[in-house]
């Protein structure tokens, strides 16, 4: 009896060991999801295990592979997930061990080679798109080892660079970056694709034979200065003579690269060729072969015009020989705008005929004093009589240049006697009320308004009182 109970206890203790999963402790699922009561074989039609919930989804050809090919043991999570663990690296580690960089789970064929190269910084364009892989990538006899190359041109084309003689790239010091001169989209080393932007080959410079400019084997020693090629053209030019005229040897100052040196556009901003100066024949101004000796002063060319001018006579009038002080470059010397600010020609003085004021050919002898022109006006004025009143001959003391001499502003209050202020303001209507003698405004009377009986009565107690207008002014200079 004791032995039976011990046997039962032993069997019960072994049951957990017999029920332990051979797939490891981490696979926690019911056996029937893969197996059936008839045996341990797996029916792939009824299997309920979802491999997509693991870290390795079965895509492409992986979905058709027998499990044991990847899971070499029953402990499933011991199966490696890196490509090289299952797939032989036929490229011998020359492209790394990450197959998915080039391959998919559908096939080993690679159909995105251009994209792969572009992602690695070397697009397969132009002639590069037609090359076999082994032409660029060093490989073994199997042609499966693909050693990486650098992305610089010289990494592949060192031999081409060194072997080139027309021109000799090494001697000329050319850049080893081929695309500086050659077009990567082209299909050869032709010179039509040379990038010559550092010295644009336009029009007359568009020469196909490089040796016309590059006369030595060293292409880097050619100067970009115009005169380095065109010294003879410069020296031989006679119309105008560039050498004697001191013209710049920088041809682009006047010329383009158009063949024949025409058109030539001279930068004449130092002496603008406008209107009457816009002369096409340079020799009209530049009378000697040395163009640099022509003076920019007006009188250099226009001395005869200056001397011959009679209306007005510039010489006798002492006019400036700097024509621009009055004239523009408009042909015919008109319009002429004289700067008359020293004597402003406003209103009544705005006279178009100069001879009305300048009565002699010498315009410089006209006096700016008013009376020089207006003596007759001054003498003939009777209301009031300027002579009798001893008014100043400086017309601007009372008048503006307004035609008709009005309005006239005479400072009677400040200079003589207040009649526009004080007690006499609005006490009179006409000058003759005080100036009874129109021929002499210096003579005045107070008695038109102030009768003697009235004044005698008011001054009865004033010692030395006299009924005289001069006495009134003497005691009452302010009219109070």
């Amino acid at each position: 009896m004791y032995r039976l109970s011990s046997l039962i206890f032993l069997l019960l203790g072994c049951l957990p060991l017999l029920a332990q999963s051979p797939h490891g402790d981490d696979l926690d699922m019911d056996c029937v999801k893969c197996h059936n009561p008839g045996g341990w074989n797996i029916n792939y039609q009824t299997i309920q295990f979802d491999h997509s919930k693991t870290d390795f989804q079965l895509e492409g050809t992986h979905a058709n592979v027998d499990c044991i090919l990847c899971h070499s043991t029953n402990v499933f999570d011991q199966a490696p997930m890196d490509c090289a663990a299952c797939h032989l690296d036929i490229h011998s580690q020359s492209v790394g061990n990450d197959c998915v960089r080039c391959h998919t789970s559908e096939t080993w064929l690679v159909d995105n080679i251009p994209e792969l190269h572009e992602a690695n910084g070397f697009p397969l364009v132009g002639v590069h798109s037609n090359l076999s892989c082994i032409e660029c990538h060093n490989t073994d006899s199997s042609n499966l080892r693909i050693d990486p190359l650098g992305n610089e041109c010289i990494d592949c084309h060192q031999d081409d660079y060194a072997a080139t003689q027309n021109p000799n790239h090494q001697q000329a010091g050319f850049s080893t970056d081929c695309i500086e001169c050659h077009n990567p989209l082209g299909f050869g080393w032709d010179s039509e694709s040379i990038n010559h932007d550092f010295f644009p080959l336009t029009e007359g410079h568009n020469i196909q034979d490089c040796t016309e400019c590059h006369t030595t084997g060293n292409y880097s020693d050619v100067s970009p200065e115009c005169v380095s090629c065109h010294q003879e053209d410069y020296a031989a030019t006679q119309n105008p003579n560039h050498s004697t005229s001191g013209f710049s040897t920088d041809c682009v100052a006047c010329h383009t690269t158009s063949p024949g040196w025409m058109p030539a556009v001279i930068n004449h901003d130092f002496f603008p060729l406008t209107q009457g100066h816009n002369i096409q024949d340079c020799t009209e101004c530049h009378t000697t072969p040395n163009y640099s000796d022509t003076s920019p002063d007006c009188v250099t060319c226009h001395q005869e015009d200056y001397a011959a001018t009679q209306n007005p006579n510039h010489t006798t009038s002492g006019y400036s020989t700097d024509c621009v002080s009055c004239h523009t470059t408009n042909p015919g010397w008109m319009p002429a705008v004289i700067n008359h600010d020293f004597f402003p020609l406003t209103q009544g003085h705005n006279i178009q005929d100069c001879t009305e004021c300048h009565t002699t050919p010498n315009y410089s002898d006209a006096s700016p004093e008013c009376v020089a022109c207006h003596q007759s006006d001054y003498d003939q004025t009777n209301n009031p009589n300027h002579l009798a009143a001893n008014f100043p001959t400086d017309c601007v003391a009372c008048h503006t240049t307004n035609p008709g001499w009005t309005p006239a502003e005479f400072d009677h209050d400040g200079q003589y006697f207040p009649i526009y202020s004080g007690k006499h303001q609005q006490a009179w209507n006409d000058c003759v009320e005080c100036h009874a003698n129109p021929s002499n405004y210096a003579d005045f009377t107070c008695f038109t308004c102030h009768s003697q009986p009235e004044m005698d009565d008011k001054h009865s107690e004033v010692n030395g009182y006299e009924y005289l207008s001069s006495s009134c002014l003497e005691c009452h200079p302010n009219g109070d």
Side-chain angles (χ1 to χ4, degrees):
M1 185 66 182
Y2 172 76
R3 291 182 177 179
L4 180 60
S5 60
S6 297
L7 181 60
I8 294 173
F9 176 78
L10 179 62
L11 291 173
L12 291 175
C14 293
L15 283 177
L17 296 176
L18 295 175
Q20 184 177 2
S21 171
H23 302 305
D25 295 336
D26 293 332
L27 185 63
D28 185 13
M29 62 180 296
D30 192 346
C31 300
V32 298
K33 288 189 175 182
C34 297
H35 304 283
N36 58 67
W40 291 110
N41 293 331
I42 299 173
N43 185 345
Y44 291 100
Q45 301 299 321
T46 61
I47 190 171
Q48 298 180 42
F49 178 72
D50 188 357
H51 211 287
S52 65
K53 292 182 179 180
T54 69
D55 293 333
F56 192 94
Q57 298 187 20
L58 298 180
E59 298 175 337
T61 56
H62 289 143
N64 300 322
V65 175
D66 193 351
C67 303
I68 198 170
L69 291 180
C70 296
H71 299 282
S72 58
T73 70
N74 286 333
V75 182
F76 295 156
D77 60 4
Q78 292 180 351
M81 290 190 293
D82 56 299
C83 303
C86 292
H87 302 289
L88 176 64
D89 183 5
I90 61 175
H91 302 302
S92 304
Q93 289 291 307
S94 60
V95 290
N97 56 10
D98 187 8
C99 303
V100 296
R101 290 179 55 203
C102 303
H103 305 282
T104 69
S105 59
E106 299 289 343
T107 178
W108 290 109
L109 297 178
V110 181
D111 59 1
N112 61 338
I113 291 178
E115 290 81 358
L116 292 172
H117 280 73
E118 187 167 356
N120 281 279
F122 193 89
L124 296 180
V125 295
V127 69
H128 295 125
S129 63
N130 295 334
L131 298 177
S132 170
C133 302
I134 62 174
E135 292 187 58
C136 296
H137 297 282
N138 296 326
T139 184
D140 55 15
S141 59
S142 68
N143 292 337
L144 294 176
R145 179 181 178 85
I146 303 176
D147 292 313
L149 293 175
N151 287 347
E152 303 301 326
C153 302
I154 198 68
D155 292 331
C156 280
H157 297 295
Q158 178 66 58
D159 291 343
D160 299 304
Y161 179 88
T164 302
Q165 298 298 318
N166 184 25
N168 187 311
H169 285 29
Q170 287 184 318
Q171 185 178 353
F174 281 3
S175 169
T176 56
D177 186 6
C178 305
I179 61 174
E180 287 189 12
C181 298
H182 301 281
N183 186 355
L185 297 177
F187 288 87
W189 296 106
D190 59 273
S191 60
E192 293 182 0
S193 301
I194 293 178
N195 184 348
H196 216 282
D197 289 347
F198 59 91
F199 189 94
L201 301 179
T202 58
E203 298 183 298
H205 285 160
N206 189 13
I207 303 168
Q208 298 304 308
D209 185 359
C210 303
T211 58
E212 288 195 32
C213 297
H214 300 279
T215 56
T216 69
N218 187 352
Y219 274 52
S220 62
D221 66 1
V222 176
S223 170
E225 302 298 328
C226 303
V227 74
S228 64
C229 285
H230 297 295
Q231 178 64 57
E232 292 185 5
D233 298 302
Y234 178 89
T237 301
Q238 299 298 319
N239 184 26
N241 188 310
H242 285 29
S243 298
T244 58
S245 299
F247 280 6
S248 169
T249 56
D250 185 12
C251 305
V252 297
C254 301
H255 301 279
T256 65
T257 57
S258 189
W261 302 101
M262 296 298 288
V265 180
I266 297 176
N267 184 346
H268 219 283
D269 290 347
F270 59 91
F271 189 94
L273 301 180
T274 58
Q275 297 179 308
H277 285 160
N278 188 14
I279 303 168
Q280 298 304 308
D281 185 0
C282 304
T283 59
E284 288 195 31
C285 297
H286 299 281
T287 55
T288 69
N290 186 354
Y291 278 42
S292 62
D293 67 2
T294 302
S295 170
D297 294 328
C298 302
V299 74
T300 304
C301 288
H302 297 295
Q303 178 63 58
E304 293 184 6
D305 299 301
Y306 179 90
T309 302
Q310 298 298 319
N311 183 26
N313 188 309
H314 284 29
T315 305
T316 57
S317 299
Y319 278 7
S320 169
T321 55
D322 186 13
C323 305
V324 296
S325 61
C326 300
H327 301 279
T328 65
T329 57
N330 201 60
W333 302 100
M334 296 298 288
V337 180
I338 298 175
N339 185 346
H340 218 284
D341 290 347
F342 60 90
F343 189 93
L345 301 179
T346 58
Q347 297 178 307
H349 285 161
N350 189 15
I351 304 168
Q352 298 304 308
D353 185 0
C354 304
T355 59
E356 287 195 32
C357 296
H358 299 279
T359 55
T360 69
N362 186 354
Y363 278 41
S364 62
D365 67 4
S367 171
E369 302 297 328
C370 301
V371 74
C373 286
H374 297 296
Q375 182 67 61
S376 297
D377 298 304
Y378 180 90
D379 293 342
Q380 295 173 13
T381 301
N382 290 303
N383 184 24
N385 189 309
H386 286 29
L387 278 172
N390 198 27
F391 281 1
T393 56
D394 186 11
C395 305
V396 295
C398 302
H399 302 278
T400 65
T401 57
N402 201 60
W405 302 100
T406 58
E409 296 181 359
F410 180 58
D411 187 11
H412 200 289
D413 288 18
Q415 292 182 349
Y416 300 101
F417 185 80
I419 60 174
Y420 296 103
S421 62
K423 291 184 177 181
H424 289 83
Q425 184 180 7
Q426 296 183 345
W428 58 279
N429 295 314
D430 201 340
C431 301
V432 296
E433 293 181 30
C434 297
H435 299 283
N437 181 5
S439 62
N440 184 3
Y441 268 61
D443 186 13
F444 64 93
T445 177
C446 301
F447 305 142
T448 303
C449 298
H450 304 289
S451 63
Q452 185 170 0
E454 179 187 2
M455 294 300 102
D456 290 346
D457 181 56
K458 286 185 176 182
H459 295 82
S460 60
E461 297 180 359
V462 178
N463 291 329
Y465 160 72
E466 291 182 289
Y467 186 65
L468 294 173
S469 295
S470 58
S471 298
C472 296
L473 180 59
E474 184 179 352
C475 291
H476 306 283
N478 295 324
D480 50 13

